[in-house]
Amino acid sequence: MWYSTLTSIFLLLTSLSAVLPGVAAEQMLVSNSLNTCQEDSMFTASLFKVVYTPSNNTASINIVATSSVEGSVVFDIAISAYGYEIIRTKVDPCDTGLAGLCPMTAGKIPLDFNLPVGAAAASQIPGIAYTFPDLDATVRVFLNMTETGKSVACVEADISNGKTVDLIAVKWVLAIIAGLVLCSSAIINGLGHSNAAAHIASGALSLFGFFQAQAMLGLTGIHLPPVVQSWTQDFQWSMGIISVDFMQDIFTWYQRATGGTPSTIFDSLTTVSVQVEKRGLSMLPDTAVNLYRRSAAILPSVPTLFKRANVMTGSGSYIVYGIQRVAFKADIETTNLFMTGLTFFCLFVVFTMGAVAAFKGLCELAVKQKWMKPDTFLEFRNGWLTVLKGILFRLTLIGYPQMAILCLWEFTQRDSPAEVVLAVFFIVGMTATLGWAASKVIRIARRSVVMHRNPAYILFSDPQALNKWGFLYVQFRASAYYFIIPVLGYTLVKAMFIAFGQANSTAQAVGFLIIEAAALICASVLRPWMDKSTNSFNIAICAVNFINAIFLLIFSDVFSQPPLVNGVIGLILFFLNAIFATILLIMVIVSTTLVFYRKNPDGRYQFMADDRTSFMKSQSALTGTTELDALAATARGDKAGYKNGLDLDEDNESISSASLRRRTDTSNLTLPTAGQHNSYSRHNSDRSHSPIDPAVPLFPAGGNQQQRAASPYGNGQAAAFRAQNNASPASGFRSASPSPWQRGAGYEH
């Protein structure tokens, strides 16, 4: 029977799906759209739903089709899996004895019935077809006139088995791990282990950046095989693309209230089909390409293919691709996508601020009730507002790829005037904020180079600079403080290609290839991260991103390769990225866990070559006792590393910049004499905020130095390094003693 033959074709297409328990309770093969693959096709379907269940050998069929064919026809059926044609057969409907098909008659054909499938046809379907996830199988049927052999219609159906790698559990696990690692770095830093915290934070940010890079693959307008679509969908939460029903209702109301027209694609699923594009336009027959473009061109309010809402084909069904495809698979109306990403970013920021404030309150309560030692999280408790500012800057950096893509894409969609205004505000505001912060870091580093011939001095010795701006440079070595500028440029240019390149898959693929190649070369040559292991970690991520860009170029069909190549490359991309992501997760989890089990977490990591630990206030890097730290803070006139009411919005507000500028002012220095070999004086004593007379050393500078504990950085090499790189230009008088607060911390050697 013809229907049973056609059904077996559906199933053969469906052949392949990796076993993931719990994804579907019952084995089945499903097709939800019948796509036209020929220009001027005389047989179209606006609704097409076919479900075959092998348990009862029955196919449930629901079709609303329109036929203009009159006369006897022969069905030329081709079945392919992953681009490889596995069956090619011809069926004469007259042999099946079905009314309306022999001969065919013109008119609208609504069909809703159950079709028994013979055991012979069912036996042709391999068992793996029901279990391998995201099956890439297609049935294409040409309707040829019996008398002339001319094709008068062409339709094709994509087959799925309900199994997929797009799993909610995977998304939750990835999000929880990323969040816990970021929180762990903050806690470790609060406990005073800044070296370990910097490594953990760097790994967490790199991991999160890889997640966002995976999500960006799915946002491209390039054809992607089903398994790649589902794999990238697992990471769309990192871009704020999360579906919540009541929020979608609010976004729809807001769009209507601000003059927009929401799309209603999900409301029409019972009457029309939605085609999720998995092939590039160039892979279809020329007639199908012309039909596709012409269907989009007839929309009155759509001057370009990718402007405003969804594209409806000539048969009355919708087709989604790129960013719209991601929205559809996430159960989000395409006109609500921008507001969804924007809202979740804002909620993320608000909840983080609330969590930081709540943690501050809990710490104060724990100290007051003596549940916690008074010096625990002391630096955070005394300067928590500055720390909060740094956290907000870091959240802006994390959310920048997401907001850049969505805001730029909103300019092409113009869902409502109010949403366009929001897009302008956020893209300009975030870009300007991060650009200004990056320029601030560069100015601080250059001042440190001028004053001390070492950018690490002020960048890492000033606790306010470190807590507020450290998110931009702490993951890099001190001499690569500028590298945040290329990173921001990389993110913005990539977002532009994604948002504005939906109409041209080839240009988008070539742009990705150039961007990722430049990123890999820069990372490999400059090696800007803090140490060898961190460089290796990030270079590996850049290498995988570059390989993915090559795969995207192949998917764009620029080489006119056979469909089989795309099917195989899709599987390779999935397995490569799945294995690599698993390795990254294991590395981050293990390194974070080991830190908590070490008595000295900083000891797990070697000291960076930029000598930043000499300037950082770290529990393990400094040998001074709590009393000595308190005396040093009093001598500096600050409160546990912070001055009252201090803000780093201006350069002259920095602890280091103000105090060090006074020390390098030669007009206020008195040349030492024989009787003043180990002291210094100032002409203007009013400028000192310390109650301690700076002319009196806090510790003996004479023969009692041997009683003080040796500095961990007191070896000959470290002393020579500091003498060469950390000396102030005005410190040519070797007889001048170090600043009082530096004594006892190993700086005077």
Side-chain angles (χ1 to χ4, degrees):
M1 212 172 149
W2 176 79
Y3 276 102
S4 48
T5 305
L6 183 61
T7 306
S8 55
I9 292 178
F10 289 157
L11 310 176
L12 285 175
L13 313 180
T14 330
S15 86
L16 299 171
S17 240
V19 181
L20 291 174
V23 175
E26 185 180 8
Q27 291 184 340
M28 65 178 64
L29 295 173
V30 181
S31 179
N32 290 317
S33 66
L34 189 66
N35 311 328
T36 303
C37 51
Q38 176 178 313
E39 188 176 3
D40 297 326
S41 178
M42 301 177 69
F43 185 90
T44 60
S46 60
L47 177 65
F48 182 82
K49 293 182 181 295
V50 176
V51 179
Y52 168 71
T53 51
S55 59
N56 55 12
N57 281 339
T58 300
S60 174
I61 301 175
N62 184 10
I63 302 176
V64 177
T66 301
S67 174
S68 302
V69 180
E70 293 185 350
S72 299
V73 297
V74 174
F75 297 104
D76 186 0
I77 303 171
I79 304 174
S80 58
Y82 294 93
Y84 179 72
E85 188 175 288
I86 55 178
I87 291 181
R88 188 70 181 261
T89 184
K90 292 184 178 181
V91 176
D92 189 343
C94 294
D95 296 338
T96 64
L98 291 177
L101 296 179
C102 181
M104 292 192 67
T105 57
K108 195 168 187 177
I109 309 174
L111 300 173
D112 189 359
F113 60 95
N114 292 328
L115 177 69
V117 178
S123 63
Q124 299 181 42
I125 306 170
I128 194 175
Y130 302 104
T131 56
F132 198 85
D134 298 296
L135 186 66
D136 185 5
T138 304
V139 176
R140 177 174 294 180
V141 181
F142 289 93
L143 279 71
N144 301 328
M145 299 300 297
T146 303
E147 296 180 356
T148 62
K150 179 182 178 181
S151 175
V152 294
C154 174
V155 292
E156 65 178 8
D158 296 327
I159 307 301
S160 170
N161 56 14
K163 303 291 193 301
T164 179
V165 297
D166 179 12
L167 301 173
I168 295 180
V170 173
K171 300 174 184 178
W172 274 104
V173 169
L174 295 176
I176 290 174
I177 291 176
L180 288 178
V181 174
L182 285 172
C183 292
S184 299
S185 66
I187 293 174
I188 293 173
N189 186 64
L191 293 174
H193 306 294
S194 54
N195 190 18
H199 282 81
I200 294 176
S202 176
L205 290 176
S206 298
L207 179 66
F208 196 84
F210 176 73
F211 289 169
Q212 291 180 321
Q214 295 289 291
M216 290 179 189
L217 294 177
L219 292 171
T220 60
I222 302 170
H223 132 262
L224 296 175
V227 69
V228 179
Q229 294 179 21
S230 296
W231 167 253
T232 58
Q233 204 71 24
D234 281 330
F235 300 91
Q236 296 301 335
W237 59 267
S238 65
M239 308 296 287
I241 301 176
I242 305 170
S243 177
V244 179
D245 292 340
F246 80 90
M247 294 179 67
Q248 296 303 311
D249 296 336
I250 295 174
F251 300 149
T252 300
W253 166 84
Y254 177 79
Q255 191 175 27
R256 286 198 181 102
T258 55
T261 304
S263 63
T264 56
I265 189 171
F266 287 100
D267 295 335
S268 58
L269 285 179
T270 56
T271 57
V272 298
S273 297
V274 177
Q275 306 172 21
V276 178
E277 184 197 6
K278 70 174 184 178
R279 289 172 185 78
L281 296 180
S282 57
M283 295 185 64
L284 299 176
D286 292 338
T287 54
V289 175
N290 296 334
L291 173 66
Y292 180 90
R293 290 172 175 161
R294 201 175 61 197
S295 300
I298 63 175
L299 294 177
S301 60
V302 185
T304 61
L305 179 63
F306 296 87
K307 177 127 183 268
R308 286 296 291 126
N310 306 102
V311 173
M312 180 177 286
T313 65
S315 63
S317 61
Y318 290 104
I319 184 167
V320 292
Y321 44 81
I323 296 177
Q324 294 179 349
R325 175 183 61 215
V326 170
F328 178 75
K329 292 176 75 69
D331 296 330
I332 298 174
E333 292 285 359
T334 54
T335 52
N336 287 343
L337 185 65
F338 168 72
M339 287 302 300
T340 300
L342 172 64
T343 301
F344 273 99
F345 172 71
C346 294
L347 290 176
F348 182 44
V349 172
V350 171
F351 285 148
T352 302
M353 292 175 61
V356 172
F359 185 69
K360 155 72 174 174
L362 289 176
C363 288
E364 296 297 342
L365 178 62
V367 172
K368 186 176 182 180
Q369 298 295 328
K370 297 183 179 180
W371 301 335
M372 187 171 68
K373 294 181 180 180
D375 59 345
T376 304
F377 296 114
L378 180 62
E379 187 173 355
F380 166 76
R381 284 157 43 211
N382 289 333
W384 74 282
L385 287 177
T386 300
V387 174
L388 180 59
K389 290 179 184 178
I391 291 175
L392 293 179
F393 276 117
R394 179 162 299 206
L395 295 181
T396 304
L397 181 63
I398 291 175
Y400 187 62
Q402 158 193 341
M403 294 308 302
I405 293 173
L406 294 179
C407 289
L408 294 175
W409 185 66
E410 177 61 23
F411 296 155
T412 69
Q413 302 299 294
R414 299 194 293 275
D415 296 316
S416 79
E419 293 187 26
V420 173
V421 172
L422 288 174
V424 172
F425 174 79
F426 273 88
I427 186 63
V428 173
M430 295 178 70
T431 302
T433 299
L434 291 174
W436 178 80
S439 67
K440 182 73 175 180
V441 170
I442 291 176
R443 293 202 307 270
I444 294 175
R446 286 179 176 176
R447 178 168 7 102
S448 182
V449 171
V450 170
M451 298 173 66
H452 310 286
R453 288 187 274 181
N454 188 348
Y457 194 99
I458 298 180
L459 289 177
F460 293 98
S461 67
D462 190 335
Q464 287 213 83
L466 188 59
N467 285 323
K468 190 173 181 181
W469 312 110
F471 74 100
L472 290 174
Y473 61 82
V474 73
Q475 66 268 35
F476 304 120
R477 66 176 189 271
S479 58
Y481 59 85
Y482 60 85
F483 202 74
I484 189 61
I485 297 293
V487 170
L488 293 177
Y490 163 85
T491 302
L492 183 60
V493 173
K494 197 172 181 180
M496 288 180 177
F497 271 97
I498 293 175
F500 301 142
Q502 298 282 309
N504 194 323
S505 60
T506 301
Q508 203 172 50
V510 172
F512 260 64
L513 185 66
I514 295 174
I515 293 170
E516 297 299 348
L520 178 59
I521 293 172
C522 289
S524 303
V525 174
L526 299 178
R527 298 183 181 181
W529 287 275
M530 63 177 75
D531 56 19
K532 183 177 180 180
S533 60
T534 310
N535 274 297
S536 301
F537 189 87
N538 286 276
I539 291 174
I541 291 176
C542 291
V544 173
N545 288 340
F546 176 68
I547 294 174
N548 290 337
I550 296 176
F551 291 161
L552 287 182
L553 187 64
I554 296 175
F555 293 150
S556 68
D557 198 36
V558 69
F559 302 113
S560 300
Q561 70 279 359
L564 177 61
V565 175
N566 285 13
V568 174
I569 293 297
L571 292 175
I572 294 175
L573 187 149
F574 164 66
F575 286 112
L576 170 66
N577 286 271
I579 294 172
F580 185 71
T582 303
I583 294 174
L584 291 185
L585 284 171
I586 293 175
M587 291 175 62
V588 171
I589 293 173
V590 170
S591 62
T592 304
T593 304
L594 290 178
V595 164
F596 283 97
Y597 283 96
R598 281 182 173 265
K599 185 177 180 180
N600 178 16
D602 286 340
R604 184 176 183 273
Y605 302 97
Q606 63 180 5
F607 293 122
M608 268 71 77
D610 56 21
D611 207 27
R612 67 177 66 182
T613 51
S614 298
F615 314 124
M616 275 185 178
K617 183 177 180 180
S618 174
Q619 291 296 101
S620 58
L622 298 181
T623 59
T625 62
T626 303
E627 291 79 4
L628 293 181
D629 289 338
L631 286 173
T634 304
R636 293 193 302 269
D638 62 350
K639 179 181 178 184
Y642 292 89
K643 291 172 68 176
N644 292 331
L646 184 64
D647 197 309
L648 204 59
D649 289 338
E650 298 297 335
D651 289 347
N652 58 6
E653 292 294 330
S654 171
I655 297 173
S656 297
S657 61
S659 60
L660 296 175
R661 189 162 47 248
R662 290 197 297 271
R663 291 208 309 275
T664 57
D665 187 357
T666 57
S667 64
N668 292 330
L669 292 177
T670 301
L671 293 178
T673 62
Q676 296 173 321
H677 184 72
N678 289 321
S679 65
Y680 70 89
S681 62
R682 296 182 184 271
H683 291 301
N684 186 6
S685 60
D686 294 336
R687 296 184 63 182
S688 176
H689 296 286
S690 172
I692 301 176
D693 184 0
V696 180
L698 291 179
F699 304 97
N704 294 331
Q705 283 189 1
Q706 69 276 11
Q707 298 177 3
R708 179 177 56 79
S711 167
Y713 306 97
N715 59 72
Q717 284 186 327
F721 181 87
R722 283 191 298 275
Q724 180 181 356
N725 296 283
N726 300 337
S728 173
S731 61
F733 305 104
R734 294 185 177 274
S735 56
S737 67
S739 177
W741 66 273
Q742 289 180 313
R743 295 194 184 94
Y747 293 97
E748 72 274 23
H749 287 279

